[in-house]
Amino acid sequence: DAIWAYAESVGVSDEMLRLAFLKFKDRYLDGKKRYTDWRKTFRIAVEDNWLKLWAHDQAGQCYLTTQGRQAENTYREDA
C-alpha cells in the first residue's frame, strides 16, 4: 500500500503511523466530514503531516513532536 511505502521512505515508523491513524480516526470520522475516499484522505493527511505528530531533526531522523507524545500517552492503553 502506498501509505506504508511513503512512511518507510521518510522514516515514519509503524508506531507513528498507528498513532496517526488513531488520532485521524478520532478527529475526522465523527460523521461531520464526508470524504469519498477515506483511504486517500488518510494518505494525504500522513504525507502532509496534518496532525503534526512528527518532525525530522537535522540528521533526517523522524521523532515525535509534543503533539505526537500527547497522542502516544492518550492511546497507550489502546495498544
Side-chain angles (χ1 to χ4, degrees), residues 38-56:
W38 281 103
R39 233 175 129 144
K40 178 180 177 183
T41 304
F42 178 64
R43 181 180 47 79
I44 293 168
V46 169
E47 290 174 354
D48 292 347
N49 197 11
W50 287 1
L51 300 168
K52 308 297 183 218
L53 299 179
W54 53 76
H56 290 84

Side-chain angles (χ1 to χ4, degrees), residues 2-79:
I3 190 68
W4 296 105
Y6 172 79
E8 184 177 346
S9 75
V10 297
V12 173
S13 70
D14 290 349
E15 178 62 22
M16 290 176 182
L17 201 54
R18 178 186 153 293
L19 285 174
F21 177 74
L22 293 171
K23 186 73 177 174
F24 177 87
K25 184 177 74 163
D26 284 351
R27 182 175 289 180
Y28 295 104
L29 296 182
D30 61 3
K32 294 178 185 173
K33 294 278 189 180
R34 295 180 190 254
Y35 292 104
T36 303
D37 186 344
W38 281 103
R39 233 175 129 144
K40 178 180 177 183
T41 304
F42 178 64
R43 181 180 47 79
I44 293 168
V46 169
E47 290 174 354
D48 292 347
N49 197 11
W50 287 1
L51 300 168
K52 308 297 183 218
L53 299 179
W54 53 76
H56 290 84
D57 63 19
Q58 296 268 346
Q61 297 296 312
C62 194
Y63 65 92
L64 288 176
T65 61
T66 300
Q67 293 94 328
R69 294 280 179 208
Q70 289 172 332
E72 185 178 54
N73 289 336
T74 298
Y75 300 112
R76 181 169 294 148
E77 294 180 10
D78 291 345

